[in-house]
Amino acid sequence: MSVPSRHMHCRNYAPVDVVKGICHVTKAIVQADDDACPAFDRLPRCAECKRYVSGEAEYVGACSAEPGAPMTYPDLIAVTCESFEWRHA
Amino acid sequence: MSRKLTDVLAQADARLEYHAMGTPPAQPTPREAAGAPSPRAARLRDLYYGALSSASNEFPHWYTRAYMRLDNEIPVVRRALALESAFRHLTPTIFPGELLVMGKTHHYRGSFPMPWLSEGYYMAAENQLYQDALARGSASADAVSTFGTGGGNVTRSFGPVVSIAGKFGIRREEVPAMLLVAHAWEGRSVDDIGHKYEQMAPGYEIKEALMRSVTCMFDSGYTLPQGREVVNYYYPLQFGFDELIEMTERKKTDVAGRADGDGLAGMNRLYNYEAASHVLRGVRAWIENYAREARRLEAMERDAVQRREYAEIADCLEWIAHRPPRTFREALQLTWTVHVAVLNEDVISGLSPGRLGQTLWPWYEQDVAAGRLDEAAALELLECLRVKYTCLDCFASMGVVGGVLSGNTFNNLSVGGLDRDGRPANNRLEELIITAAMTCASTQPTLTLLYDDKLPESFLLKAMECIKTGTGYPAVVNNRTAIEFLIGQYGSEGMDLEEARAIAIGGCLETSPCSWMPLTLNGRPYWIPGGSGQPTSVGVHFLSLPKILELVLFDGVDRRTGLRVFPAHGRALGSYEELFDQVKAYFAKAVEVLSLANNIQHDVWRKNNTAVFNSLLKPDCLESGHLIHELGYRYNATHNVETCGTVNLVNSLAALKSLVYDRGFVSLPAFRQALAENFGFKMADEVGSFSLASQEKRGDSTEHDRTHVECLTAPKYGNDNPYVDDILREWEEWFCTKCRDYESLNAMPYYACQISVSTHAPMGAVTMATPDGRLAGTTFADASMSAYPGTDRQGPYALFSSATCWDHSLSQNSQLNLKIHPTAIHGRAGTKKLLELTRSYMRKGGFHIQYNVVDSRILKDAQEHPEEYRDLLVRVAGFTQYWVEIGKPIQDEIIARTEYEGVQG
């Protein structure tokens, strides 16, 4: 069973703070951790990138796009990352 | 039931007067109404009201990732490349309804730690990094500082959010990475490297004891190394980013391989220009990312109005990313963008936009003349700007953000003053800035009126109307006194009268050197003002004067911690003169050891953490090729000694002089005993209140009551009484002169700075009872020229006479706050009355005055029902803050301040 997508992982989500944001589609305040709606548009994050390598510790991994595979983490937003490639098309 | 201080006083037929010049009306009185913001600004401000202070790891991640990869680079270029990477990778967020966009992070109210400065303070208490910081004294102030628990402060962890540094919330998913980034800086941060070298300075053990006893509040080199200065927007406004980048490339060719007569730093110019080029490219890319986001939103937006607004935002950003602005809106957006870029370069409080209304006048004037802009549209933009500024947070330690800043960021916008030819510099845009500050009241930017008798009466009255609405701004600063200070302080670096007239306030009250810059817009020449000095209020900060006196009385030992702070002086203190001499001796020793340590910390900062972006904005760095670390700024004599608790020191010296030395009412040993036993009272934190009147006796003993009453009724500052005022004058003249004996890392003399900000709460919290009758743990008097609550009984004009018994131009600032009941200055007549009151202080030579216009009963109600007062603003000491976001000690102190029910002489 797949994990439901959350508002905070949606491209339409503008984060007001660490728990809530505004949905660009509905213009309503939504909670970051609530399940997303059918208009969900996946946000590029390291967790979604094929260059991301999971680490042993929770919430920590590495980026294989760069020499030395520097540390990164799954929730790092990657909309500005030049190396980002979707893990799943 | 415990007896209260009021009971003790009543038995002696004495009392403290918290109301002066009359009695308050029977019912609590609200402030005068100020109008409402535009619906757009109201929505955006409401969004702020509901937003939590949110931290993220994005900027630190990209900065650290680049920095660690580049360990073979020249330090200034390495830092610039790290900054470029961080700016390029920031996630752009645009919120519906915004006209002005861009922020520190992708959150509406976002900030982030900068572990390259200091990494220990935001760790959990059990973390070794935090324990190390505590041991060296740099985290000691954290333990005695508090935030208000309301507003956006995240003082506790909850659900998916972890509270860090006592105020900021971060998503738990980001915490492991944040900790790894922090640990990457262990042994590399300015804090750590500075600590390694500061220990080599003589007297370091005294410095550490001063920090651990909270006699000194914080080291500026790794906490707030920049700020308390005026930013300069001139270069981007005049040239645009593309031209600036081309300029740095041309300059590189000009200087590569050439020392040009400077064997020490001439060759560095190449690296400095290379660094400047990289940071400019990073900032340009950051703007372009926002432009792309605006285009993306435009493409998906279904609402026609919102779609057009996204398009306008994109048009604006696409233009200013490369070229100089053409319109008022583009110029306003560019100044905001530049402002945030500087803030993201370092941990900064008090980065002031300066005389923004005069800087932006060319675009405003030409847009209005051409029919491209009307006042309503300009006002809405200015209201939106206020919301953007108010969303700024400064991520620093609990001691700094809570204990010093009260969560404020001190972006001070100055209005008024004189132009370079000595004519009034006010303009219509500045009036709109004041109007926006009334209709869209918020904490930022705070306003300062550069008061000059030449300014038109109508303009001054407009400023008074704003003050009457209770916003706490504009503060009123004496333009002439500030100019005198600037010429005295920076004359050796070329400051003359014409240049000094460009003065603006940096931070809450720091007189800052500025310059006139020649701008041309559509072929028309203008002179616009902008900052040209290094950060001020860096150096020795803050020194608690009552604590110094306590250490004198107890032979160098801090009784709270048992620490020996100073070597024993061993003096009998048999005369008042001997006592005062020892106060000066300990103070001088403190400044000596603290200045050495701070010079080292700031030197490490400028070597490893050079301000590249802020530097290239300031004259004359781009011309000379030298950034801040090579004294490229036009004015560099900016380090100072900042004190807290002046009035408690002076009142205490007066009490000792009177009771011990003049009258022989009590012996010094018996006095010490009474202080050590807190006059038989409980500690303030046991009582849960930090104002004097609420304190409670520990038992039934009346042993120290007579002495205590005599202390409280001894001569007090603020009543035009020469017995006390002579002590103040002697202190000020000695202190302001003595500071100049110490040399900053720029080989220039230190100078005096006297603003308490919020430190009078945490410093009061660690100070035992003082000879003026103040009890242990309660706050000091705020500011430096405010009377201690309840002790100014002769009216405001007597207070002014006391405050101006010394020459204020000897110091970078002084600070006087007055609480006035709204009915005392009601209506048009009240506005004029307020102006006359202010004018009288200015004409006596007072440097600064500011008012809390509020009924104290409303503050008490707000303390009991904070949920009903989210938007209540108060003036603290040099800044305005939301009531719910400040800690209880400061709340108690503001409630306790003497409330003036009338302002007649």
Side-chain angles (χ1 to χ4, degrees), chain B residues 380-507:
Chain B
E380 186 176 50
L381 281 168
L382 293 170
E383 289 176 344
C384 289
L385 184 72
R386 291 200 64 79
V387 179
K388 294 300 282 184
Y389 267 98
T390 300
C391 286
L392 290 172
D393 262 338
C394 171
F395 192 106
S397 70
M398 175 75 131
V400 171
V401 183
V404 180
L405 312 180
S406 274
N408 203 275
T409 52
F410 309 95
N411 302 269
N412 200 331
L413 194 160
S414 298
V415 298
L418 302 177
D419 68 12
R420 66 195 294 267
D421 299 318
R423 293 173 300 208
N426 63 294
N427 62 40
R428 179 61 188 154
L429 181 56
E430 289 191 330
E431 289 177 26
L432 289 178
I433 285 171
I434 297 172
T435 301
M438 295 165 72
T439 56
C440 189
S442 61
T443 54
Q444 299 294 326
T446 191
L447 302 182
T448 290
L449 167 66
L450 300 170
Y451 176 91
D452 197 287
D453 269 344
K454 281 190 174 181
L455 289 170
E457 195 80 349
S458 60
F459 186 74
L460 296 173
L461 287 169
K462 174 89 181 172
M464 298 302 125
E465 282 172 12
C466 184
I467 291 170
K468 283 174 56 180
T469 64
T471 54
Y473 53 67
V476 184
V477 158
N478 193 323
N479 195 47
R480 301 293 169 119
T481 305
I483 286 171
E484 275 185 58
F485 168 79
L486 285 175
I487 292 172
Q489 179 64 25
Y490 300 103
S492 61
E493 294 186 86
M495 176 71 76
D496 59 17
L497 176 61
E498 187 179 273
E499 183 109 309
R501 287 181 181 137
I503 182 251
I505 298 300

Side-chain angles (χ1 to χ4, degrees), chain B residues 144-167:
Chain B
V144 292
S145 300
T146 57
F147 285 109
T149 52
N153 294 337
V154 182
T155 53
R156 293 178 190 280
S157 300
F158 64 93
V161 177
V162 175
S163 170
I164 50 175
K167 172 182 169 72

Side-chain angles (χ1 to χ4, degrees), chain B residues 193-272:
Chain B
I193 297 175
H195 182 60
K196 174 181 160 188
Y197 286 102
E198 70 176 350
Q199 293 177 81
M200 300 175 189
Y204 175 73
E205 68 286 354
I206 297 177
K207 186 262 174 181
E208 194 168 87
L210 285 164
M211 304 304 293
R212 289 169 67 184
S213 62
V214 199
T215 306
C216 180
M217 190 86 181
F218 75 95
D219 294 318
S220 55
Y222 58 85
T223 54
L224 295 169
Q226 292 193 77
R228 285 77 68 210
E229 65 185 291
V230 179
V231 72
N232 199 317
Y233 307 116
Y234 167 73
Y235 290 96
L237 285 171
Q238 178 67 80
F239 300 104
F241 282 98
D242 285 1
E243 174 61 23
L244 288 176
I245 291 168
E246 283 174 29
M247 201 184 293
T248 57
E249 294 300 321
R250 281 198 305 273
K251 289 281 195 178
K252 274 163 54 182
T253 308
D254 292 345
V255 302
R258 299 179 193 279
D260 284 335
D262 181 358
L264 280 176
M267 293 294 290
N268 292 353
R269 294 173 299 166
L270 173 64
Y271 319 124
N272 294 337

